[in-house]
Amino acid sequence: MAGSRERPSPAARDNRWKLVETTLRRHGHRAHSLIEALHAAQEAYGYLDTDVLGRLAGDLRLPLSKVYGVATFYNFFSLEPQGEHSCVICTGTACYIKGAGAIMAALEADGLKAGETSADGQVSVLTARCFGSCGLAPAAVMDGDVLGRLTPDDVLGRVRQWRTHDA
């Protein structure tokens, strides 16, 4: 039918999608490449919005519910924009016993809650069940660096440094 061209999704018009498309092509647009594709999309966009998840589902010929389920199962993926800096606190058994709860309490007392980004957009605080770094308990990943044997003051010091230097 004339004039009934399909309207491209926002992700299709975005040059960042080309980065994701490269990953999809490398894996032959096969369903088993979903996690690689999610990583590529998150790296390109910073987080995974519904347009990107829908586009991945279409390109990989997977139900959107499966793509969404995988994206929400792994804590490495985010469905919301993240802050300039990230602080992921391990809450696995070893970390919890060695003080992860005290670290989380200190962050909350400073106005930062798990799963949220600070009002100034500087810091996102997340939790993870286990990093596999139990010998370093309590551990955190701060801007991609795994740090261990942390105290609440260590974590708060670094977070406050981010907030004052980037302000």
Side-chain angles (χ1 to χ4, degrees):
M1 182 162 63
S4 66
R5 293 179 49 186
E6 203 172 294
R7 193 173 131 206
S9 73
R13 293 187 306 260
D14 193 327
N15 284 336
R16 294 175 290 183
W17 185 257
K18 290 177 183 175
L19 298 171
V20 179
E21 181 64 27
T22 300
T23 299
L24 293 170
R25 264 189 271 122
R26 186 174 53 242
H27 293 282
H29 291 261
R30 288 182 288 219
H32 68 77
S33 65
L34 175 58
I35 290 179
E36 288 295 325
L38 287 169
H39 278 292
Q42 180 153 302
E43 189 172 319
Y45 291 91
Y47 68 103
L48 303 169
D49 68 10
T50 53
D51 287 341
V52 169
L53 293 175
R55 181 74 190 262
L56 284 174
D59 281 10
L60 296 174
R61 295 189 177 126
L62 291 169
L64 178 58
S65 60
K66 179 167 184 142
V67 174
Y68 182 80
V70 171
T72 56
F73 178 79
Y74 294 102
N75 61 10
F76 294 110
F77 300 122
S78 174
L79 303 183
E80 300 289 332
Q82 296 297 297
E84 185 78 21
H85 301 279
S86 67
C87 175
V88 184
I89 305 295
C90 180
T91 57
T93 303
C95 287
Y96 191 80
I97 290 170
K98 296 265 187 162
I103 292 171
M104 290 305 303
L107 287 169
E108 285 194 26
D110 210 43
L112 298 166
K113 293 183 179 177
E116 295 182 2
T117 298
S118 61
D120 60 7
Q122 289 293 310
V123 182
S124 291
V125 176
L126 304 167
T127 59
R129 290 300 302 158
C130 185
F131 296 157
S133 300
C134 301
L136 298 175
V141 177
M142 301 185 79
D143 275 352
D145 297 327
V146 177
L147 305 173
R149 297 183 182 91
L150 294 168
T151 65
D153 289 339
D154 294 335
V155 174
L156 282 177
R158 188 141 179 182
V159 167
R160 288 177 179 156
Q161 184 180 19
W162 287 338
R163 295 180 96 178
T164 57
H165 282 260
D166 294 345

